[in-house]
Amino acid sequence: TQLLEQSPQFLSIQEGENLTVYCNSSSVFSSLQWYRQEPGEGPVLLVTVVTGGEVKKLKRLTFQFGDARKDSSLHITAAQPGDTGLYLCAGAGNQFYFGTGTSLTVIP
Amino acid sequence: KAGVTQTPRYLIKTRGQQVTLSCSPISGHRSVSWYQQTPGQGLQFLFEYFSETQRNKGNFPGRFSGRQFSNSRSEMNVSTLELGDSALYLCASSLAGTSGRGAQDEQFFGPGTRLTVL
């Protein structure tokens, strides 16, 4: 059973388009992290959100933590080929729970 | 500041053998977690060690075990390997692990050990 469901599972878009990835759960988390992983490598931490309703921006990436600290979203503006990768959300509870992952491909 | 290191990076074993993987966390981090990643199941939590004690354990059989040393380095052992154990094994370190203290829960991953069981 996955505590964190991500959608969509796969996303293929053209360079310059915008996109949003969702991470949903029925559980409350003390914090939530977003990672990007490239083939054959470990996930790289992008951001941590802690407070319900919190919004964090990292250049073209905007992360939001839901008011109830159960869900989160990642919005990418003007996607670039370098954004290609597997995006994972992870919630901190009595252990770290990872989402099902969103595989993003940005086509030049 | 050095990142998380894992050795070896690649490993090929045959069914029935055992394997030991090693993880060195970021200096000052006391929590080490292990994960198994496969295309079908995604990232699955194996266990977490904090100050040499296993604090949490995922839903894996007893063939999967681990330990942590006083310098926070950790090892993971898999005995009686099965074909289904082929996966990328990831280690992650954090200051305090699942402490519930927000930013201190941040995990930093190593590059992983790619285990292939033939």
Side-chain angles (χ1 to χ4, degrees), chain A residues 37-43, chain B residues 9-10 37 88-90 110-114:
Chain A
Q37 184 180 22
E38 299 189 14
E41 299 296 327
Chain B
R9 289 293 310 274
Y10 302 91
Q37 187 176 33
L88 181 66
Y89 289 88
L90 292 161
T113 294
R114 171 72 64 185

Side-chain angles (χ1 to χ4, degrees), chain A residues 21-100:
Chain A
V21 178
Y22 299 94
C23 173
N24 295 305
S25 177
S26 57
S27 300
V28 176
F29 298 103
S30 60
S31 66
L32 193 138
Q33 291 88 40
W34 283 92
Y35 297 82
R36 181 172 69 218
Q37 184 180 22
E38 299 189 14
E41 299 296 327
V44 175
L45 181 67
L46 297 174
V47 77
T48 298
V49 285
V50 179
T51 306
E54 181 177 3
V55 177
K56 278 192 175 179
K57 292 192 175 184
L58 187 67
K59 296 183 181 178
R60 295 177 293 99
L61 278 61
T62 301
F63 305 86
Q64 184 164 7
F65 202 12
D67 291 341
R69 290 186 291 134
K70 293 181 179 181
D71 51 74
S72 180
S73 64
L74 157 61
H75 182 79
I76 300 179
T77 303
Q80 298 177 1
D83 295 327
T84 293
L86 178 68
Y87 288 81
L88 295 159
C89 63
N94 62 343
Q95 68 182 58
F96 291 101
Y97 298 93
F98 274 81
T100 46

Side-chain angles (χ1 to χ4, degrees), chain B residues 9 17 34 41 47 61:
Chain B
R9 289 293 310 274
Q17 287 187 309
W34 288 90
Q41 298 297 318
F47 29 66

